[in-house]
Amino acid sequence: MSELVAQQVLNALALGGVYALLGLGLAMVFSVLGMINFAHGELMTFTGYALIFLSATLGWPFFLAVFAAFAVAAASAALIERVAFRPVRGASLTTMLLTTFAISSILHVVFQNFISPRPIAVAIPDWLTSTAQFSGLRIGMLQCISLGVTVVALIGLTVFLRFSITGLAMRAAAQDFSITRLMGIPANRVIVTAFAISGLLAGLSGFLWVAQRGSVDPLMGFVPVLKAFIAVVLGGLGSLPGAVLGGFLLGFLEVLLRAMLPSELLPFRDAISLSIIITILVLRPNGLLGRAEAVR
Amino acid sequence: MKLFQKNNRAAAALATVAMIGTPALAQDNDLKIGFAVSLTGYLAPYDTPTVEGAQIAIKELNENGGAAGQFAIEAMVRDVRSDTVQTSIVVQELIDAGADVIVLPCDDDPAIAGGLVAQDAGIPMFSTCATNASLTAAIGDFYFVNYVADIVQGATLAQFAREEGLSNAYLLVSPETTYTGNLPLYFGEVFETLGGSVVDTGTYSFGQQDFSAEVTQIASLNPQPDVIMTSAYEPDFPAFLRQLRAAGVTAAVYGSDGIDSPTTSGLGDVSEGVVFTNAGFPVEGTRLAAFFDAYAAHYDRPLSNSFAATGYDMMLVISEAIRVAGGTDGAALRDAIANTDGLEVSTGEISYLDRNRVPARSVSLNRITGGAITHVDTRVIASDLLPESK
């Protein structure tokens, strides 16, 4: 019995890690622009297609293709910012939000019409989906990688934000963008960097997501971005550690409810997990780590 | 200049006469098929190939004089974007444009929305691949199921599982659609009728990706199931299967036509032995194999599943019904389709007679062996084994 519990906790940690990466990607852009980028999921789809194109069509070695796909995700995020978001930067939040939805829909149609409406299989090396046994506990390679990547990404991001000039500028921008600009920090650089990092995080989580599902399809970005949104709101909009905490909490809630609910209640588990989240938000309206003044 | 205008007017008058003249002619010799289908959105992977298959049949029939050799077929294809409201609007537009037969999207909700409009207009209709037999009651007597119905797939799989000597089943369902929610239950019902038992039923959500909790539970079941049946498809099925095998569960896995996709066979070792049904397998030398070749030649890319073949078959059914009815009158056409019996089509035989507009059509049982789909059997299930559609 305790083995079963330990196994489920491990499962929850691995799932939470992916949600945390996703949430961080959204929170990154939100902290600078105060906008949720709903086209974030499409960056994951980009990563998947890039991976297929580089590894299957061009025949690149798998690892090289994976890292190149990360770069593609980061570059496309920066490109989307330049093409779509910069022209509407001064506009109202509603306009920006609608722009993110528009980008997401346009990319869906582009993927469906120029790539394929059907899912395309990704050849994932066997070792990546293998499992190891440790005293009755099964640990999947992918689960280990999820956890590892989350930890490395968190440490890397913290170091970047604390110790680099651009990182400092981004933290300042998150506090008050106008004052930061008056201090001589170029707005474009801060924003493009935020998008590129967000794209890189989408690439990381996109790879983990694709490795688990084995295929890429045009609409695959929708569910993850929704989960990420929940994680970010739960953790507190604008707070990067909050996004991570929210992601892990969401992962735990989902796995534990699925494991513990009696079978007649199982179909309601999403409703139950969302009700729990709403209860938390009623008690803490700004999220777990959100600050009241962070709302701009 | 004046002269010119006069001439123009005369030309316009002539054109008007011609325009008034043609529809009268057209009504006699034209068969307009209104496709209210999803070329974009979540149903595009299913509707698109079905329409492609139908287009091949239309081309072939038109080369031989049209449907029943005398009704030139015109395809009016409109995108409903997998949207329910859009489907009913587009169906109305198609009816206004003179559609004689309507083709609806692959899912229950849009099919019902558009179907009710066509039912009111008394126009026969098919859904590309909605497999819920209850739609015939929800929409009305002008609606016909085209694809292999859920009850048929569930019963066929259960019969085969029993023949393979499997006796304990675990069902994985998702209540989000009738397909993923009910097909495994039909399987379970027939499986129990034939002497097997269902040990447990689990649920999942679309796109949940992480099946660790469900898989951990399956692994701890006692007795262990020897067959796991689910109608999950991409991306859920590959994720589930990988995690199931990683957890050391070795039970047979049975699925339905949703996993008829290159992704499933491309999963490597984990998909070895997976059994699934679909509308047909292109066994060499059969009419279906010839259709697969025709598709590849027409679209310059290989066909990777059987949806296109059922689109092709649907046009053959319509053509035969036109021959019997002798025209495009809605009610006569409906009766002719309902009386179709043993018509030879690309996937085998199809009959609507005495089946309440749910066709008896061949179902192919396939197994994944060595990374490729191999054909096990093609059969038409006896109607007394079919469960009641929910």
Side-chain angles (χ1 to χ4, degrees):
Chain A
M1 190 60 205
S2 64
E3 264 172 22
L4 201 64
V5 172
Q7 181 72 52
Q8 299 288 25
V9 169
L10 192 70
N11 295 340
L13 272 175
L15 182 65
V18 179
Y19 287 167
L21 281 179
L22 278 165
L24 257 184
L26 277 193
M28 204 67 214
V29 168
F30 187 90
S31 65
V32 176
L33 281 185
M35 166 195 88
I36 291 286
N37 178 13
F38 279 99
H40 192 70
E42 278 55 55
L43 295 170
M44 297 172 69
T45 319
F46 255 126
T47 315
Y49 282 129
L51 182 61
I52 292 175
F53 180 70
L54 296 172
S55 68
T57 315
L58 297 186
W60 287 20
F62 186 73
F63 257 114
L64 193 61
V66 168
F67 283 101
F70 294 161
V72 168
S76 3
L79 185 71
I80 289 174
E81 192 280 326
R82 181 68 192 84
V83 174
F85 296 132
R86 196 170 298 180
V88 295
R89 195 181 293 159
S92 73
L93 266 185
T94 325
T95 309
M96 307 239 289
L97 199 65
L98 280 179
T99 309
T100 73
F101 277 119
I103 297 285
S104 164
S105 306
I106 291 169
L107 288 177
H108 283 169
V109 175
V110 167
F111 292 150
Q112 283 186 326
N113 289 292
F114 293 104
I115 300 178
S116 168
R118 301 270 306 171
I120 302 179
V122 188
I124 303 291
D126 280 343
W127 61 265
L128 198 59
T129 48
S130 61
T131 32
Q133 292 266 0
F134 287 106
S135 61
L137 279 190
R138 290 183 325 273
I139 303 175
M141 189 51 136
L142 205 57
Q143 287 182 319
C144 290
I145 293 180
S146 293
L147 277 174
V149 165
T150 313
V151 171
V152 170
L154 281 181
I155 294 174
L157 208 56
T158 314
V159 169
F160 171 76
L161 288 176
R162 291 235 176 271
F163 302 110
S164 75
I165 300 286
T166 316
L168 181 68
M170 288 175 74
R171 281 191 295 142
Q175 297 253 333
D176 193 325
F177 204 6
S178 322
I179 297 291
T180 311
R181 293 185 72 174
L182 288 175
M183 297 290 139
I185 299 291
N188 284 343
R189 202 176 79 199
V190 170
I191 292 175
V192 166
T193 312
F195 268 93
I197 293 175
S198 152
L200 182 64
L201 290 166
L204 290 174
S205 44
F207 165 66
L208 295 171
W209 204 257
V210 167
Q212 195 158 65
R213 51 181 278 154
S215 68
V216 181
D217 80 63
L219 309 180
M220 66 168 242
F222 178 70
V223 173
V225 83
L226 208 62
K227 303 280 187 194
F229 184 50
I230 297 172
V232 166
V233 173
L234 181 62
L237 277 169
S239 156
L240 297 181
V244 174
L245 182 67
F248 274 107
L249 202 64
L250 183 63
F252 260 90
L253 261 179
E254 287 194 354
V255 168
L256 295 187
L257 283 176
R258 268 164 29 209
M260 321 233 288
L261 281 180
S263 61
E264 57 272 21
L265 281 181
L266 269 179
F268 301 100
R269 60 177 184 260
D270 285 345
I272 296 174
S273 71
L274 289 176
S275 310
I276 295 175
I277 288 169
I278 290 174
T279 315
I280 297 176
L281 289 176
V282 167
L283 298 173
R284 291 192 61 90
N286 292 310
L288 293 169
L289 301 182
R291 298 154 301 180
E293 72 275 10
V295 181
R296 286 185 298 157
Chain B
M1 202 64 209
K2 266 249 153 98
L3 194 78
F4 229 90
Q5 271 179 356
K6 241 185 198 166
N7 273 351
N8 268 358
R9 231 175 259 161
L14 246 166
T16 316
V17 170
M19 274 160 78
I20 296 171
T22 36
L25 271 172
Q27 261 171 9
D28 292 333
N29 287 317
D30 260 22
L31 170 65
K32 289 186 173 176
I33 313 282
F35 289 91
V37 289
S38 309
L39 305 178
T40 51
Y42 77 105
L43 292 173
Y46 314 99
D47 281 3
T48 314
T50 314
V51 176
E52 285 173 350
Q55 295 276 26
I56 293 180
I58 291 171
K59 179 174 154 272
E60 287 179 7
L61 288 165
N62 277 342
E63 281 167 3
N64 293 306
Q70 48 177 325
F71 295 88
I73 309 173
E74 185 194 333
M76 302 186 287
V77 183
R78 306 273 191 279
D79 182 19
V80 300
R81 309 193 303 254
S82 307
D83 183 83
T84 301
V85 176
Q86 190 64 18
T87 308
S88 66
I89 295 171
V90 167
V91 168
Q92 188 59 57
E93 279 173 15
L94 288 167
I95 292 171
D96 294 345
D100 300 303
V101 175
I102 292 286
V103 179
L104 300 162
C106 188
D107 198 6
D108 293 6
D109 293 335
I112 291 173
L116 291 173
V117 178
Q119 173 72 28
D120 270 353
I123 293 175
M125 66 199 121
F126 295 85
S127 155
T128 52
C129 47
T131 47
N132 181 359
S134 307
L135 285 191
T136 51
I139 296 174
D141 59 344
F142 281 88
Y143 175 80
F144 293 87
V145 173
N146 173 48
Y147 202 78
V148 185
D150 296 341
I151 45 175
V152 177
Q153 287 199 61
T156 309
L157 282 162
Q159 190 186 45
F160 182 68
R162 290 298 294 145
E163 286 167 14
E164 291 280 283
L166 306 170
S167 45
N168 289 322
Y170 174 90
L171 312 176
L172 183 70
V173 303
S174 166
E176 283 166 77
T177 65
T178 51
Y179 176 78
T180 50
N182 291 343
L183 206 160
L185 302 183
Y186 299 140
F187 170 92
E189 217 175 302
V190 178
F191 193 70
E192 286 185 327
T193 309
L194 295 173
S197 69
V198 175
V199 288
D200 202 1
T201 303
T203 60
Y204 72 98
S205 312
F206 282 10
Q208 85 176 33
Q209 295 268 14
D210 176 73
F211 285 90
S212 51
E214 290 77 7
V215 161
T216 304
Q217 274 189 333
I218 295 175
S220 67
L221 278 178
N222 190 22
Q224 273 287 293
D226 40 27
V227 56
I228 293 167
M229 201 276 147
T230 179
S231 289
Y233 45 90
E234 287 174 64
D236 309 312
F237 184 78
F240 170 67
L241 188 63
R242 276 216 178 102
Q243 292 168 46
L244 183 77
R245 292 306 186 219
V249 178
T250 54
V253 172
Y254 280 35
S256 43
D257 63 293
I259 57 169
D260 181 7
S261 150
T263 312
T264 313
S265 42
L267 287 173
D269 288 346
V270 290
S271 66
E272 184 69 22
V274 167
V275 169
F276 69 93
T277 41
N278 65 4
F281 183 90
V283 181
E284 219 164 295
T286 57
R287 192 168 173 184
L288 188 57
F291 172 74
F292 270 60
D293 291 342
Y295 180 97
H298 190 267
Y299 291 105
D300 210 20
R301 60 188 137 87
L303 176 58
S304 56
N305 60 57
S306 61
F307 289 108
T310 59
Y312 180 87
D313 292 354
M314 178 177 71
M315 286 311 305
L316 298 190
V317 169
I318 295 171
S319 174
E320 170 64 11
I322 293 266
R323 189 188 64 77
V324 173
T328 55
D329 172 63
L333 210 49
R334 171 199 62 193
D335 296 341
I337 299 169
N339 288 320
T340 307
D341 189 18
L343 180 70
E344 282 288 328
V345 288
S346 76
T347 53
E349 269 193 10
I350 187 165
S351 303
Y352 281 95
L353 187 64
D354 296 332
R355 305 277 293 214
N356 194 25
R357 304 191 301 288
V358 180
R361 66 184 308 161
S362 322
V363 177
S364 175
L365 281 156
N366 315 287
R367 179 178 270 134
I368 293 171
T369 342
I373 301 171
T374 51
H375 180 244
V376 179
D377 190 22
T378 297
R379 56 178 76 171
V380 180
I381 194 100
S383 60
D384 59 352
L385 252 190
L386 291 181
E388 188 79 24
S389 181
K390 290 180 209 293

